[in-house]
Amino acid sequence: MEAQLQGLMPLVVLLFFAGALSVEYEATSGLHPVVLVPGNTCSQLDARLTDGDEYEPPTAGCGIPKQGRDWFRLWENFTALQEDPALLPCYADQLRLVYDPVAGDYRDVPGVKTRVVSFGTTRGFGSDNPARKNVCMEGLVEALEGVGYTEGENLFGAPYDFRYAPAAPGLPQRVFSDFVSSLTLLVERASRMNGNKPVILVTHSFGGLFTMEFLNRSPLQWRRRYVKHFVMLCLGVGGSPLNMWPIAASPGSPPSLLYSVLTYGNRSFASTFSPLPSPKVFGDAPLVITRAKNYSAEDMPEFLAAAGFSDDDVERYRTRALPVTLNLRAPLVPMTCINGFGVPTADKLVFWDGNFSARPEFVNGDGDGQINVQTVWALKSLIGDDPDQRYFKSILIPNTTHRGMISDEFALKRVISEVLEANQTTYS
């Protein structure tokens, strides 16, 4: 594969076409509506504390006397934390999820209610933190508006609660099921508002996993009526070794709310295990290396136990997250995947002394800095080789990072070009 990549590197954009297809261009009256699904941590969350004594605050500075009973911005509230840093342990605690063994599902901490902000619009994306500028599709929204898209008319957003994740079919997963229902209604409404044109779904990073599962859990007849094209940015199949680092770090007092989401808080999230490396893609290759033992994707239960996860946590990885990873399928709607490569991307993590809280040494391969290129090849095989997938195209853009795909001018031009092409392409 390395030799293959080296041979491809001089190309500016690499294209792979697969599936039986017939492509022609037609004159269109207006654009097909677009629904954007953002990456991990890019959806805003509100919270409120319920009456009574259900909520047990971690400090005296948290709770109703301090925070009141009204809805407040829980994630991401950089401005409030700048004004009152004492709120950090409150927000970190209120972001946690708990697993209810009776219901067999995750839920908010007792005494806390949460909601996704501005579903149906792109106003729920983004951050008030200057350090996170242009990491949540802001640049893509502007670029789409520049070619004729208008918020609320033919441009819509589907933010989601990133703390949750799709679980194996048949298992309780109320929040993801609610997302599926809400996105179904949004797609149908967007289509009706635009002359019954089918919708173009555009996703970034973790939003691609949510959308893949949404599509595969929707009736095929519905997909082919309502989904014109699926454009998935910065996602392969099979997770990433890099994701083994933050969840292994020992919980402690977080230096920032962002840190609490990616490490401390993440241990409680249903989405904790979703981006971990898949045994199908990475096999028995060592991904975490220590003096005493190496861990591969096939050793994930042992790795999680060594990192301090409980037996119940590991069992939820086996029963809820792993089956989703192992059973990803082609969505059977026209699909274009765009990924970056040529950026050092962790293939292996070295914790030589076995201290998972320390910063590891990285053994890098190729990718976009987060998504490994081998997962992109795996995606091509999974989707492109499915005889029922009518149209599939994979594009690789050199020297493009995970964030750069939705912020760098060159990459944005390519993404917009593919959206416009999807508007005009017919399939048979």
Side-chain angles (χ1 to χ4, degrees), residues 20 42 90 111 146 152 189 202 257 261 294 361 368:
C42 283
C90 309
R189 178 166 65 89
V202 183
L257 189 59
V261 169
N294 296 337
E361 295 180 26
D368 69 1

Side-chain angles (χ1 to χ4, degrees), residues 19 45 47 63 163 177 194 206 246 254 273 301 316 335 355 384 396 399:
L45 304 176
R163 301 172 302 164
S177 296
N194 288 272
F206 198 51
F273 304 129
R316 287 194 283 275
M335 183 173 183
N355 178 10
L396 292 178
N399 307 317

Side-chain angles (χ1 to χ4, degrees), residues 13-215:
V13 178
L14 313 178
L15 304 178
F16 298 93
F17 295 87
L21 61 93
S22 172
V23 181
E24 62 182 28
Y25 293 91
E26 63 178 5
T28 59
S29 56
L31 297 164
H32 284 260
V34 164
V35 175
L36 300 178
V37 187
N40 192 20
T41 75
C42 283
S43 301
Q44 301 295 295
L45 304 176
D46 279 348
R48 71 176 180 85
L49 304 180
T50 61
D51 291 331
D53 56 0
E54 273 192 298
Y55 181 59
E56 299 180 0
T59 70
C62 306
I64 289 176
K66 171 78 172 183
Q67 297 176 272
R69 291 181 172 85
D70 295 332
W71 288 99
F72 60 90
R73 184 59 48 86
L74 176 61
W75 174 265
E76 182 184 13
N77 204 335
F78 177 79
T79 301
L81 287 173
Q82 292 296 104
E83 295 172 353
D84 186 358
L87 286 170
L88 174 58
C90 309
Y91 290 172
D93 184 66
Q94 291 155 9
L95 273 167
R96 289 188 302 113
L97 298 180
V98 294
Y99 183 77
D100 183 342
V102 176
D105 201 2
Y106 289 84
R107 60 178 176 83
D108 286 322
V109 171
V112 177
K113 289 188 178 297
T114 58
R115 66 185 182 188
V116 173
V117 175
S118 300
F119 184 87
T121 80
T122 65
R123 293 191 295 274
F125 302 174
S127 167
D128 61 349
N129 184 347
R132 282 169 53 79
K133 182 177 174 59
N134 289 331
V135 302
C136 292
M137 284 187 159
E138 300 96 327
L140 181 56
V141 170
E142 291 179 8
L144 287 166
E145 290 173 341
V147 296
Y149 278 95
T150 301
E151 173 77 42
E153 296 181 10
N154 56 4
L155 178 61
F156 306 88
Y160 54 90
D161 193 329
F162 53 83
R163 301 172 302 164
Y164 295 86
L171 294 181
Q173 45 195 303
R174 181 186 60 81
V175 172
F176 181 70
S177 296
D178 288 348
F179 171 79
V180 169
S181 298
S182 297
L183 184 52
T184 299
L185 293 174
L186 176 61
V187 167
E188 292 174 355
R189 178 166 65 89
S191 176
R192 285 196 305 272
M193 290 175 62
N194 288 272
N196 292 319
K197 293 185 181 71
V199 166
I200 299 171
L201 297 169
V202 183
T203 69
H204 182 243
S205 192
F206 198 51
L209 174 64
F210 268 64
T211 305
M212 284 270 282
E213 284 301 305
F214 160 74
L215 289 170

Side-chain angles (χ1 to χ4, degrees), residues 3-14 341 398:
Q4 183 182 12
L5 282 173
Q6 289 175 346
L8 293 173
M9 283 288 286
L11 297 178
V12 174
V13 178
L14 313 178
F341 79 113

Side-chain angles (χ1 to χ4, degrees), residues 181-377:
S181 298
S182 297
L183 184 52
T184 299
L185 293 174
L186 176 61
V187 167
E188 292 174 355
R189 178 166 65 89
S191 176
R192 285 196 305 272
M193 290 175 62
N194 288 272
N196 292 319
K197 293 185 181 71
V199 166
I200 299 171
L201 297 169
V202 183
T203 69
H204 182 243
S205 192
F206 198 51
L209 174 64
F210 268 64
T211 305
M212 284 270 282
E213 284 301 305
F214 160 74
L215 289 170
N216 279 317
R217 299 184 194 199
S218 301
L220 181 58
Q221 184 177 4
W222 183 92
R223 282 178 257 169
R224 291 186 168 168
R225 158 63 182 88
Y226 284 104
V227 180
K228 167 74 169 170
H229 207 101
F230 176 23
V231 180
M232 188 170 77
L233 311 177
C234 298
L235 193 70
V237 292
S240 168
L242 185 63
N243 294 318
M244 299 174 73
W245 174 29
I247 70 165
S250 177
S253 182
S256 71
L257 189 59
L258 181 63
Y259 182 91
S260 78
V261 169
L262 296 178
T263 52
Y264 162 76
N266 206 358
R267 285 204 166 201
S268 75
F269 292 177
S271 56
T272 296
F273 304 129
S274 297
L276 291 175
S278 167
K280 268 191 177 179
V281 176
F282 292 93
D284 62 359
L287 302 178
V288 169
I289 298 170
T290 74
R291 179 188 289 111
K293 181 176 175 58
N294 296 337
Y295 298 92
S296 69
E298 294 178 352
D299 302 321
M300 195 60 66
E302 293 176 70
F303 171 73
L304 293 172
F309 285 87
S310 70
D311 291 345
D312 288 342
D313 291 331
V314 175
E315 185 62 17
R316 287 194 283 275
Y317 160 75
R318 286 195 181 102
T319 58
R320 294 182 66 91
L322 184 59
V324 174
T325 301
L326 296 178
N327 293 295
L328 288 171
R329 307 187 308 279
L332 306 187
V333 297
M335 183 173 183
T336 297
C337 300
I338 311 177
N339 285 280
F341 79 113
V343 179
T345 304
D347 270 348
K348 304 179 192 304
L349 310 175
V350 181
F351 298 93
W352 190 241
D353 293 326
N355 178 10
F356 293 140
S357 294
R359 181 181 177 85
E361 295 180 26
F362 298 103
V363 178
N364 288 326
D366 199 2
D368 69 1
Q370 293 188 41
I371 301 300
N372 305 76
V373 77
Q374 57 261 53
T375 68
V376 179
W377 299 126

